[in-house]
Amino acid sequence: MGWFWAEPAAAAVPTASGHAPVIGNTAPPAACPMRKKSLDALKPNEHPPEQASGPSVPGRRVAREARPNQEGPKSLLSQLNPLNYMFPDLSQERAPNQAIALPTSREESTIPKGCGDGTWEYPSPQQMYNALLRKGYTDTDITAVESMVSVHNFLNEGAWAEIVGWEQRFGKGLYNGWQVCRRGEAHAPEEIERSWDVNDPEPTLIRFQGRPKDLTPKATMLQVLGWIYPSKFGTEPPFDRHDWYVSREANGERQQIRYVIDYYSGEPEPTGEPVFYLDVRPAATPRGAAERIIRWSTDVWWKAIGGDKREQDPQPFFRHNSLKPWG
């Protein structure tokens, strides 16, 4: 999931200053040729380096002129687009020994780019297949690639819709988020509509990073609870994880908010259609933790006090004609 495509020119876009760089998975697939080290790198120099000509200076080293073509092979990570950690130059041509033709049309997403230049674009099935091959997945079933692209696009749109929901609640600050959330999740849409302003800037997606091998703290906790109490918390670990970096404008200042997405698979429908669950929330930074606590606790509190019933039939907390326990 999360395999949006940036144009080749976008690969050179630097990350915003002041933000930590995204560190990817530095270990390439086992089938990747970049995993093999050259023999020259494993052997020490058989011949000592030539001394620089000219008189030597005691106590100082003479700098040698750098030799051409000394640069080693580039790592797999250095070849990827820093915005989405995908290859920026995959062609639409058939792969070698590819027996079935795949569509080359690409679908536009509804997710705006952080640079403000349109929306992110999904890969075509042919590009997706080429990317899988270059990442070492040579056993990919080519007949399933089109379905993979459809599911991939559908899940990404769902993840962005969840992120927009968080931004609509907390994009203007924690206090505004509390006002939107104080009547529970059931009333959040009407509260969002009430506080919505046509001039409110929309969030944009700056970049994202796939981390399928890194369990989030929440997913780890659920696995531990499932081991202790399997009948209630037992579930398979997420099959994928992504970190999405979203641009939020608050009080005229741009902020970068990191969202964490866990992808779970559920029991298929009776018709055989697959079922997926997305757990989308802000990362557990101090601000992100506060947003999560506000949204969760207000919903629990509203249900616990019977908020809907109280609104329909308001009653004073103390009644002047009620029976007194001491009467």
Side-chain angles (χ1 to χ4, degrees):
M1 303 311 109
W3 288 16
F4 301 99
W5 226 258
E7 298 299 332
V13 177
T15 58
S17 60
H19 299 301
V22 180
I23 306 300
N25 190 358
T26 57
C32 178
M34 305 310 299
R35 198 178 181 93
K36 301 177 182 178
K37 298 180 179 180
S38 64
L39 294 177
D40 294 338
L42 295 176
K43 295 181 179 179
N45 293 328
E46 297 180 358
H47 304 285
E50 298 180 359
Q51 299 292 334
S53 60
S56 61
V57 180
R60 297 179 59 186
R61 294 183 180 180
V62 179
R64 292 178 296 164
E65 185 176 356
R67 297 181 180 180
N69 300 327
Q70 289 292 321
E71 184 179 357
K74 294 183 179 180
S75 66
L76 177 69
L77 184 65
S78 67
Q79 303 177 39
L80 304 183
N81 187 330
L83 294 180
N84 54 9
Y85 283 77
M86 289 300 301
F87 298 100
D89 58 347
L90 287 175
S91 69
Q92 300 274 26
E93 301 296 329
R94 280 195 184 192
N97 302 322
Q98 178 180 335
I100 302 176
L102 291 172
T104 57
S105 58
R106 300 168 63 182
E107 180 182 345
E108 286 282 344
S109 74
T110 62
I111 307 173
K113 291 182 180 179
C115 61
D117 183 18
T119 58
W120 289 87
E121 192 173 22
Y122 293 122
S124 68
Q126 183 64 61
Q127 286 179 312
M128 176 76 80
Y129 184 64
N130 290 340
L132 291 170
L133 293 180
R134 289 187 63 173
K135 284 199 167 188
Y137 301 102
T138 55
D139 58 345
T140 301
D141 183 6
I142 192 172
T143 62
V145 172
E146 290 188 60
S147 299
M148 291 168 56
V149 172
S150 298
V151 172
H152 153 267
N153 299 355
F154 173 76
L155 291 182
N156 280 319
E157 293 295 327
W160 181 248
E162 291 290 325
I163 290 176
V164 170
W166 279 97
E167 290 296 310
Q168 289 173 337
R169 288 166 171 81
F170 297 99
K172 298 179 183 178
L174 294 178
Y175 179 70
N176 181 81
W178 175 81
Q179 288 182 315
V180 172
C181 298
R182 61 190 174 89
R183 296 174 60 221
E185 283 293 296
H187 298 279
E190 59 184 273
E191 294 293 338
I192 291 173
E193 185 177 358
R194 184 179 303 172
S195 63
W196 181 77
D197 186 352
V198 68
N199 296 319
D200 290 342
E202 295 183 356
T204 58
L205 179 60
I206 302 173
R207 64 182 186 274
F208 48 91
Q209 178 186 9
R211 302 172 62 182
K213 296 183 180 179
D214 298 334
L215 277 181
T216 61
K218 182 178 180 180
T220 303
M221 186 185 307
L222 289 176
Q223 292 304 303
V224 173
L225 291 174
W227 177 71
I228 299 173
Y229 196 177
S231 62
K232 184 173 180 60
F233 297 101
T235 181
E236 293 293 327
F239 64 86
D240 202 358
R241 170 204 171 166
H242 277 93
D243 290 5
W244 288 20
Y245 296 80
V246 174
S247 177
R248 172 193 295 178
E249 184 174 336
N251 301 322
E253 180 183 355
R254 280 284 174 181
Q255 301 175 353
Q256 181 174 272
I257 310 297
R258 180 166 66 96
Y259 282 88
V260 180
I261 309 171
D262 283 327
Y263 297 83
Y264 293 89
S265 57
E267 293 294 329
E269 294 286 345
T271 57
E273 296 179 355
V275 175
F276 302 95
Y277 298 96
L278 303 183
D279 188 0
V280 183
R281 70 273 186 196
T285 60
R287 182 187 182 93
E291 294 178 3
R292 291 159 71 168
I293 291 172
I294 290 174
R295 185 170 181 180
W296 173 79
S297 61
T298 51
D299 185 56
V300 172
W301 175 252
W302 183 259
K303 293 175 181 177
I305 66 173
D308 290 338
K309 189 174 189 239
R310 286 176 178 270
E311 282 190 339
Q312 296 171 4
D313 184 20
Q315 295 290 339
F317 191 77
F318 291 105
R319 298 183 184 179
H320 68 280
N321 60 349
S322 61
L323 293 177
K324 310 298 188 295
W326 58 84

